Amino acid sequence: MIGNLKPLEIVLIIAVILLLFGAKKLPDMARSLGKSARILKSEAKAMKKDDAEPAAPTTETVADQTPPQSTAARTIQAAPGDVTSSRPVSEAKPTTQS
C-alpha cells in the first residue's frame, strides 16, 4: 500500500501532519515514540528471559502453606542511551471488581 504512493501524495501527507501537529511538537512526539519503543523492547526481553528460566521443582507439603516472601524488587534495565527509564517492577496484585 505504501509502495503505491506517488511523491506528490507523500509531500501532501507530510504537509497535513505538519499543519495538524506543528513543527515544534513533532520532534517531541518522535522522541517519546522512540522511548516507548525502547521500553517495549526491554520489557519484551525481560519477559522472554523470565520465560526461559526453568521453574524450580517445589515439594510443598500441606503444613507449609505460607507463600514465599521476596522483599527484593526486580529492576528492568533501560536500553543503551536511555538511563532515565529504568524502574523497579513490582509483582502484580490481584484486583477485585465490584
Side-chain angles (χ1 to χ4, degrees), residues 2-98:
I2 293 178
N4 296 336
L5 292 178
K6 297 175 182 149
L8 182 60
E9 294 171 340
I10 294 173
V11 169
L12 183 64
I13 291 171
I14 291 173
V16 168
I17 290 172
L18 279 173
L19 287 174
L20 286 176
F21 297 109
K24 291 183 179 181
K25 288 188 178 181
L26 285 178
D28 292 334
M29 290 172 56
R31 192 174 299 116
S32 65
L33 182 65
K35 279 186 178 183
S36 299
R38 280 193 299 265
I39 291 171
L40 180 66
K41 185 177 178 181
S42 66
E43 293 282 342
K45 282 184 181 179
M47 287 177 63
K48 284 182 183 179
K49 183 180 176 184
D50 288 345
D51 288 342
E53 294 176 1
T58 58
T59 57
E60 296 180 24
T61 61
V62 177
D64 185 23
Q65 293 185 2
T66 58
Q69 296 179 0
S70 62
T71 57
R74 186 172 57 104
T75 301
I76 295 177
Q77 297 297 323
D82 186 21
V83 295
T84 59
S85 67
S86 60
R87 56 186 171 78
V89 177
S90 61
E91 297 296 323
K93 296 179 182 176
T95 58
T96 57
Q97 296 181 358
S98 300

